[in-house]
Amino acid sequence: MKRGIIGIVILIAALIFVAGCAASNKGGNQQTEKVKLYLYGAGTLAKPFKEVIGEFEKKYPNVTIESQFGGSVKMVKQVTELHQPGDIIAVADYNVIPKYMFGENGQTKYTDWYIGFVNNSITFVYTDKSKYANEINSTNWYKILSEKGVQIGRSNPNTDPSGYQTLQMLKLAEKYYKDPTIYEKILANAPEKNIRDTETELLSSLEAGQIDYLAIYKSDALQHHLKYLDLPAQINLSDPKYANFYKEAVVDTKNGELSGKPIIYAITIPNNSKNTEWAIKFVEFLLGPDGQSIMKKNGFGVLEKPYANNVDKVPAELKNFVSEWPKQ
């Protein structure tokens, strides 16, 4: 009889142990299952995002993030037109997301929200090899860049936000300095041969002295320890308080007319993501103190509280990180 009771006790203990292990495994699956996320980002996000990805993968060793960086419009179209797998999309101009992903004008709807997580400004960088490097400053820059023989690099305004933001900045400079020739004269020194899909592709040409100046984001200037022009906030597209002035700068591109807006980088998760839960965790990490610290270290402006459009559509896990997008 005693042996029977002991046997029953051992059996019950074994069942409890097995059940406990099963429950433990169920709770741990999230940390042990292998996950691959696909991220597409603006070219200027390559350096900081590689750091963010590295820290995220350390925190979650079961996750691997495959990333690709380039012109923001081109990166979005990897998902919307080429139908590549995509879990996270981050662009240098928040307007790119609603334009190509919100499903307007009969397009397929890929998302209905985005979060602005850092800001930036447009500038020109140069080196000691650049023509007039010892003379140029934030007051005379537009005169120097108009000089005959100066070679200027820029990105493609049809594929990359910094390309059309550079054009918008030059339009604003004409108004700010009351000189209607700035746009035409400077672009005469930035011909087609000096254009690439993303401006970071021209950094080696700048270092080699093949071009003298490069239109680029301030964050890149700081990351690459380059000399740069500290342009007025009224024209460098950095400050939301000048939004009404910025929108007066309208430029033509193959994607239609584009008016100037504050440079705010935005991120979203396509609704056809196969790993939405983990994509949300990545955005959480990016918006959290560790992610924002990396962005700040790399020269980006950190927002007091990231902006979100359609807050009610933002995943519940991210809502505490965001505030309503400022009205303009």
Side-chain angles (χ1 to χ4, degrees), residues 14-30 32:
L15 290 172
I16 292 172
F17 177 77
V18 170
C21 288
S24 176
N25 286 337
K26 185 177 181 181
N29 278 345
Q30 194 181 61
T32 58

Side-chain angles (χ1 to χ4, degrees), residues 95-287:
N95 194 55
V96 169
I97 292 175
K99 183 168 185 177
Y100 295 100
M101 301 187 73
F102 273 20
E104 297 173 356
N105 301 318
Q107 298 172 327
T108 302
K109 184 176 183 178
Y110 284 91
T111 189
D112 51 12
W113 63 272
Y114 55 87
I115 295 172
F117 61 100
V118 287
N119 65 7
N120 215 334
S121 61
I122 281 287
T123 185
F124 286 97
V125 293
Y126 60 104
T127 71
D128 291 332
K129 298 177 185 177
S130 303
K131 289 184 178 68
Y132 308 108
N134 294 326
E135 299 177 35
I136 196 166
N137 56 48
S138 59
T139 302
N140 68 9
W141 66 273
Y142 61 96
K143 296 177 182 177
I144 295 291
L145 296 187
S146 300
E147 288 289 338
K148 188 174 181 180
V150 171
Q151 289 292 315
I152 301 169
R154 58 190 173 106
S155 67
N156 188 341
N158 299 312
T159 61
D160 191 39
S162 80
Y164 56 75
Q165 288 162 346
T166 295
L167 302 183
Q168 291 162 348
M169 182 266 284
L170 295 176
K171 292 271 190 182
L172 292 169
E174 289 189 336
K175 295 176 179 292
Y176 183 77
Y177 295 106
K178 297 180 172 58
D179 183 345
T181 69
I182 290 175
Y183 185 89
E184 185 177 342
K185 286 182 177 179
I186 290 179
L187 289 187
N189 287 339
E192 289 286 332
K193 68 182 181 69
N194 292 351
I195 296 177
R196 299 293 184 277
D197 274 346
T198 181
E199 72 282 4
T200 49
E201 295 177 42
L202 286 163
L203 285 169
S204 58
S205 298
L206 178 70
E207 296 284 3
Q210 295 168 343
I211 58 174
D212 301 299
Y213 298 89
L214 174 59
I216 203 167
Y217 293 114
K218 182 179 177 180
S219 60
D220 285 304
L222 296 172
Q223 288 170 30
H224 297 280
H225 309 291
L226 294 166
K227 294 183 176 181
Y228 68 94
L229 298 170
D230 191 12
L231 301 178
Q234 289 91 331
I235 69 173
N236 70 11
L237 301 173
S238 68
D239 195 335
K241 77 180 181 184
Y242 293 114
N244 286 331
F245 182 57
Y246 294 161
K247 68 183 181 183
E248 293 181 22
V250 180
V251 297
D252 289 318
T253 72
K254 288 183 179 179
N255 299 308
E257 287 190 344
L258 301 173
S259 57
K261 292 180 174 63
I263 299 172
I264 298 176
Y265 286 61
I267 193 164
T268 193
I269 298 169
N271 55 24
N272 62 344
S273 166
K274 294 182 179 178
N275 290 291
T276 303
E277 183 179 357
W278 283 103
I280 290 171
K281 284 185 181 295
F282 178 83
V283 179
E284 279 185 287
F285 186 83
L286 175 67
L287 300 182

